[in-house]
Amino acid sequence: MRHRVAGRTLGRPTGHRISLYRNLTRDLIIREAIVTTEAKAKEARSFAEKMITLGKNGSLASRRRALSFISDKDAITKVFDVLSERYEERQGGYTRITKLGPRKGDAAPMVRLELV
């Protein structure tokens, strides 16, 4: 039984799933909007919001924690310089999920995940 087990496995091994989350989060930060499936977007949203919260803190320890999750220095620089200033007054909820409808091939529910 799955009682109190958090997160989605998305039918992938752990290493592949973590890599997927890192890539989705990096792409969302750099492009500020991505189109993906609903389940992936809901999982990636939490990681992206945690990265922005670390950016708002701005300490060296926060930067190192963010770099340990996303190894792309350009994305981390954007989080700590651009996004932290943009969301300075906002207390959370930095992302928005907009439903787009089913994917043509397999009818998977597609969404647009974007920064507010």
Side-chain angles (χ1 to χ4, degrees), residues 6-76:
R8 294 169 177 83
T9 58
L10 300 175
R12 291 171 168 80
T14 305
H16 186 186
R17 187 172 58 250
I18 292 171
S19 178
L20 172 74
Y21 295 153
R22 288 176 174 173
N23 290 333
L24 284 172
T25 306
R26 184 196 66 227
D27 288 344
L28 177 63
I29 289 168
I30 291 173
R31 298 178 183 170
E32 298 192 10
I34 56 174
V35 175
T36 184
T37 63
E38 188 174 1
K40 290 178 190 174
K42 285 182 178 180
E43 286 295 315
R45 170 179 53 186
S46 65
F47 292 108
E49 297 206 1
K50 287 174 188 172
M51 291 299 114
I52 293 171
T53 303
L54 287 174
K56 285 173 61 176
N57 185 355
S59 67
L60 179 61
S62 296
R63 187 176 289 266
R64 286 178 175 165
R65 283 184 59 196
L67 273 168
S68 71
F69 185 72
I70 301 173
S71 58
D72 187 359
K73 290 184 180 182
D74 295 333
I76 297 302

